[in-house]
Amino acid sequence: MAYRSYGYNGSMYTEPLCNALFDLFGRLPSYFKPKRKGDFSRKRLLPLSRLVPFILFLAAGGKDRKTDTKLSEFFLDAHHRGIWEWDGASVPHRSAVTRARAKLGWEPFAAVHGDLVSLAYQSRPALDHETFRGHTVLAIDGSDYRLPATTAMREAFAPGSGLDRKGSGHYPQCLVSTLYDVLRHWPVARRVAPARAGERAEALALLESAPREALVNAILLLDQGYASHETMEKWSGMDLGFVQRNPGKKTFPAVEAFLAGGDAEAMLVLAPPRESSARRFRETGRRPQPFRVRAIRLDHPDGTTSALLTNLVDADRYPARDLIGLYTLRWGVESHYGQEKFRFGLEKFHSRSPDGIRQELYAVLSCFLMARLLADAPQDGGFRQTRRSEVQPRDSHACLLLARFAYLLTPTNPAAALAIFRDVVREMRRAKYHRPRAKRTSQPRINKSPPGRWHGSSRMRRIKEAEKKLKKCRKIA
């Protein structure tokens, strides 16, 4: 399981990880709690050892092929490569996959991902560029995912959706909250909740369910939607550092006064709002107390201001400029959502049940994590710098490749699987992403949708206004 006993060179890096993955996925029955007596107890075409890898392929293998095509491709390839024993039976029908997924539930996928995260943090030493002052850097963010318009989806995630409801869309949505290691590029934990669930409550629950290894000596990066006295008090109570953006208006009076004063940074005392203080006293029997935070002023190109609030109060160890630069790394979790939705087309789900949706949302997360672990080069984690760019593994390529060969995770012939794994990992490391080192100019959004019959002039006016903002941003940069 551990990398340390094998060193960091050549196949000695790959083989221990592959063996650890074989061991973890070999314990799939221990993650499964049958809904009915007899589920997955008889010999079928789709035992757990074949169903789970196929769901990984279904969720993270791209949406350019139908389920029947994927079934044939996946099972025939596993047979002809000698990874799974073949008893002469046909490839499972998609209806068999649907019935088997209904028996499986989503909890095994969440448990498997939690153990994968623990494996990663326990056995993979952090490299110099993967921490900030020795801290793990985690970001939390939520995103709405569009779901199939079925009765079960509406009841589970969006009871008020439907065209027959005033002000509601046809497709229901769910809120997906993700904890993401922005320097290692590891998705750490996830929660799936109804669309109207509170982001702050989901963030608190996400941290409570996250593997403990990920939270040791960690700093949280959070956007302004998570700003509240209660959440900041919780982060501090969990021995977590935080850097959290706070809006410039309609916020804590101390923050508004700080921004109005024009200082670059200051120490503030935040008093709990009266309404939330009374509510928390009724719930816990304890009144929240004021606490001190460090505030750093942020001036934006459009002329607005906001503040970064942090409990990292040592200005010598954590200079304001470094914390501002650190906060910009929060965009890594946004980029991860972009890959899931647009590169992998995850919103085109293969299931029409709430459990099936959760299965795919957790499965793609596990594929991303395993692909990143396997794609890391032995010496530098796959990261190096050139004069013009930062070179790192191409995550989407590695994830698609792992999903395509997911049957290697549960082999009946481990020696053959390991030989193929070496070639797969070599191909993962071959494809690189060259991120330009030069800072790119921020671009305001411009709506260039086709104009209506009577709205051409207003559309042109909006485009000209956006172009003026763009010129202003370029002058400031």
Side-chain angles (χ1 to χ4, degrees):
M1 173 177 172
Y3 292 79
R4 300 187 183 95
S5 60
Y6 289 88
Y8 253 70
N9 50 62
S11 62
M12 289 186 179
Y13 172 84
T14 303
E15 292 181 15
L17 176 59
C18 293
N19 289 327
L21 293 177
F22 293 161
D23 179 63
L24 191 152
F25 280 88
R27 301 194 308 269
L28 283 176
S30 66
Y31 295 100
F32 172 68
K33 295 181 180 179
K35 295 182 178 180
R36 297 181 305 175
K37 186 177 180 180
D39 285 349
F40 295 104
S41 60
R42 292 182 292 174
K43 186 175 182 180
R44 297 282 191 177
L45 281 176
L46 276 173
L48 284 173
S49 60
R50 299 186 181 185
L51 176 62
V52 172
F54 179 68
I55 294 175
L56 294 177
F57 176 51
L58 206 60
K63 300 300 168 77
D64 56 336
R65 301 182 300 287
K66 300 294 184 182
T67 303
D68 279 331
T69 305
K70 285 189 172 184
L71 276 165
S72 300
E73 177 184 339
F74 194 75
F75 279 83
L76 290 176
D77 196 38
H79 162 57
H80 288 299
R81 291 181 183 272
I83 305 303
W84 287 346
E85 293 179 356
W86 195 256
D87 55 5
S90 61
V91 173
H93 193 270
R94 65 177 184 271
S95 62
V97 175
T98 301
R99 291 193 297 270
R101 291 182 67 178
K103 299 175 185 176
L104 182 58
W106 63 271
E107 293 85 357
F109 289 89
V112 166
H113 185 73
D115 283 356
L116 283 171
V117 172
S118 296
L119 168 67
Y121 278 101
Q122 289 173 7
S123 58
R124 165 73 155 74
L127 302 173
D128 291 341
H129 65 273
E130 294 176 336
T131 60
F132 172 78
R133 306 283 197 277
H135 295 280
T136 298
V137 183
L138 305 173
I140 295 179
D141 198 42
S143 181
D144 291 328
Y145 278 64
R146 190 180 68 179
L147 305 173
T150 65
T151 302
M153 294 298 180
R154 297 191 198 284
E155 292 176 353
F157 296 111
S161 65
L163 294 179
D164 57 333
R165 305 292 183 93
K166 187 176 180 180
S168 299
H170 174 61
Y171 292 97
Q173 292 181 324
C174 66
L175 173 65
V176 177
S177 299
T178 303
L179 181 66
Y180 189 79
D181 189 324
V182 296
L183 292 177
R184 290 182 175 96
H185 304 281
W186 292 352
V188 174
R190 169 163 284 179
R191 279 182 61 85
V192 184
R196 294 186 179 180
E199 278 191 332
R200 297 171 188 171
E202 286 299 301
L204 292 171
L206 187 63
L207 287 174
E208 291 174 358
S209 62
R212 297 298 97 187
E213 295 85 355
L215 303 181
V216 176
N217 199 26
I219 295 175
L220 291 178
L221 307 179
L222 304 114
D223 203 9
Q224 60 184 3
Y226 297 94
S228 76
H229 185 281
E230 182 177 6
T231 54
M232 286 187 281
E233 190 178 48
K234 289 280 189 180
W235 312 146
S236 298
M238 297 175 70
D239 293 327
L240 296 171
F242 65 82
V243 180
Q244 179 169 300
R245 188 163 74 94
N246 213 69
K249 298 179 179 179
K250 298 182 180 179
T251 182
F252 298 102
V255 174
E256 292 182 350
F258 160 70
L259 293 175
D263 293 334
E265 62 177 293
M267 294 299 300
L268 305 180
V269 177
L270 300 184
R274 183 180 303 174
E275 296 80 5
S276 66
S277 179
R279 173 182 58 80
R280 290 163 65 186
F281 178 73
R282 290 194 300 269
E283 292 175 354
T284 65
R286 185 181 65 86
R287 293 194 181 278
Q289 300 298 316
F291 66 91
R292 298 173 73 243
V293 295
R294 180 183 172 196
I296 300 172
R297 183 186 186 89
L298 288 178
D299 293 312
H300 303 289
D302 60 0
T304 61
T305 58
S306 59
L308 284 184
L309 301 183
T310 178
N311 59 352
L312 305 175
V313 297
D314 188 345
D316 294 330
R317 186 180 180 188
Y318 308 105
R321 170 183 279 185
D322 291 356
L323 291 183
I324 292 172
L326 179 67
Y327 177 76
T328 61
L329 297 177
R330 192 200 65 83
W331 196 253
V333 66
E334 303 275 10
S335 299
H336 177 78
Y337 281 129
Q339 287 209 55
E340 284 190 1
K341 291 184 176 182
F342 303 112
R343 182 67 179 87
F344 292 88
L346 188 57
E347 288 181 306
K348 297 178 181 178
F349 292 102
H350 291 88
S351 176
R352 299 171 69 83
S353 71
D355 277 1
I357 296 301
R358 287 189 169 96
Q359 287 174 4
E360 295 184 30
L361 286 168
Y362 281 102
V364 74
L365 216 62
S366 296
C367 275
F368 263 105
L369 177 59
M370 288 186 288
R372 184 70 194 194
L373 284 171
L374 289 165
D376 282 351
Q379 296 82 14
D380 56 10
F383 178 94
R384 59 186 174 86
Q385 291 190 349
T386 65
R387 186 169 61 87
R388 293 185 177 182
S389 64
E390 296 175 349
V391 184
Q392 59 191 42
R394 186 174 288 276
D395 293 340
S396 58
H397 170 78
C399 187
L400 286 167
L401 201 58
L402 176 69
R404 171 65 180 78
F405 291 93
Y407 54 75
L408 296 174
L409 297 169
T410 57
T412 54
N413 186 348
L418 190 57
I420 298 172
F421 242 133
R422 292 193 192 101
D423 294 335
V424 172
V425 171
R426 189 180 303 112
E427 180 61 22
M428 286 180 178
R429 295 176 185 168
R430 180 193 62 81
K432 300 291 185 181
Y433 170 52
H434 296 258
R435 181 190 298 276
R437 296 183 68 178
K439 185 178 180 181
R440 298 175 180 176
T441 305
S442 61
Q443 302 289 332
R445 293 181 180 179
I446 300 177
N447 181 10
K448 294 187 177 180
S449 58
R453 183 176 181 182
W454 308 108
H455 295 82
S457 60
S458 63
R459 174 177 175 267
M460 292 305 298
R461 185 174 65 253
R462 291 195 301 273
I463 291 177
K464 288 180 180 179
E465 290 174 356
E467 288 174 346
K468 287 180 181 179
K469 290 182 180 178
L470 179 59
K471 289 180 181 178
K472 185 178 179 181
C473 290
R474 285 175 176 168
K475 287 180 181 179
I476 295 173

